[in-house]
Amino acid sequence: NISILRGEKVKLSLKSEKKLQEKISSIIQNMYTNAIENKEFKDVKNIFENEKVDLSKIENMYESFKSTIVSSGLKSFKLKDIDIKKYEILDDGSINTTVKTKYDYKAVRVMLDKEYTKENSGSDINNFTFVYENNNFKLTSMSSMQAYFSVY
């Protein structure tokens, strides 16, 4: 459980940190998988739904992300590692996190009638904000994620 006492530096238990890390990993992998599969927001919004989220903002972000992923030719994305670099529990109980991810990817694009394929590794730094409700971390906002993958 997370309890917030104003003015006090609050830390998550190791169990809660692990649960948060697993939640972020799941969100990232699902976002890429769903975008690669060109799924509509209505089919994936359960990843984001909770009372404190403006789904219209997340829908716009997801649709833009998906469009870029599809046009970039990303064919596969596999999250290899996630490291929570820092987190902060705010007075309202929300949790801001900064995470570094490492991943493998495959991208394929056709340019001037020639197909280019690249399998590579990469890393990214992202920010996520959660609320903790009903013994679960629920996403309320996130920064944009890596959407361009080179084929060179």
Side-chain angles (χ1 to χ4, degrees), residues 38 49 53 81 85 109 126:
N38 205 11
E49 282 187 303
V53 172
D81 187 44
K85 291 297 190 184
R109 273 198 298 285
N126 304 99

Side-chain angles (χ1 to χ4, degrees), residues 63-75:
E63 291 299 335
S64 174
F65 172 74
K66 179 183 76 168
S67 174
T68 305
I69 290 297
V70 168
S71 67
S72 77
L74 187 65
K75 300 299 180 196

Side-chain angles (χ1 to χ4, degrees), residues 115-128:
E115 184 174 280
Y116 296 87
T117 300
K118 177 84 169 208
E119 292 186 41
N120 206 353
S121 297
S123 64
D124 198 11
I125 294 181
N126 304 99
N127 297 301
F128 298 88

Side-chain angles (χ1 to χ4, degrees), residues 86-104:
K86 69 176 186 171
Y87 68 85
E88 179 181 19
I89 301 174
L90 305 177
D91 286 344
D92 67 359
S94 61
I95 303 165
N96 287 342
T97 64
T98 300
V99 299
K100 181 174 183 177
T101 57
K102 293 181 182 176
Y103 53 83
D104 291 330

Side-chain angles (χ1 to χ4, degrees), residues 8-103:
E8 228 182 87
K9 181 76 172 166
V10 180
K11 288 194 57 120
L12 297 174
S13 68
L14 290 176
K15 183 178 177 182
S16 292
E17 280 187 32
K18 183 162 179 49
K19 190 173 183 177
L20 179 60
Q21 185 172 358
E22 289 168 354
K23 182 69 170 190
I24 294 169
S25 293
S26 173
I27 288 168
I28 292 170
Q29 187 62 58
N30 280 319
M31 284 282 291
Y32 281 101
T33 300
N34 290 322
I36 289 167
E37 295 173 0
N38 205 11
K39 288 190 178 174
E40 298 298 320
F41 184 74
K42 66 180 175 54
D43 299 325
V44 301
K45 70 180 184 177
N46 64 319
I47 297 170
F48 311 105
E49 282 187 303
N50 72 72
E51 307 81 54
K52 297 183 180 182
V53 172
D54 178 355
L55 281 180
S56 64
K57 287 181 183 176
I58 291 183
E59 180 176 10
N60 291 338
M61 186 277 312
Y62 173 77
E63 291 299 335
S64 174
F65 172 74
K66 179 183 76 168
S67 174
T68 305
I69 290 297
V70 168
S71 67
S72 77
L74 187 65
K75 300 299 180 196
S76 67
F77 178 93
K78 175 69 174 136
L79 191 60
K80 291 191 322 186
D81 187 44
I82 179 171
D83 182 19
I84 298 176
K85 291 297 190 184
K86 69 176 186 171
Y87 68 85
E88 179 181 19
I89 301 174
L90 305 177
D91 286 344
D92 67 359
S94 61
I95 303 165
N96 287 342
T97 64
T98 300
V99 299
K100 181 174 183 177
T101 57
K102 293 181 182 176
Y103 53 83

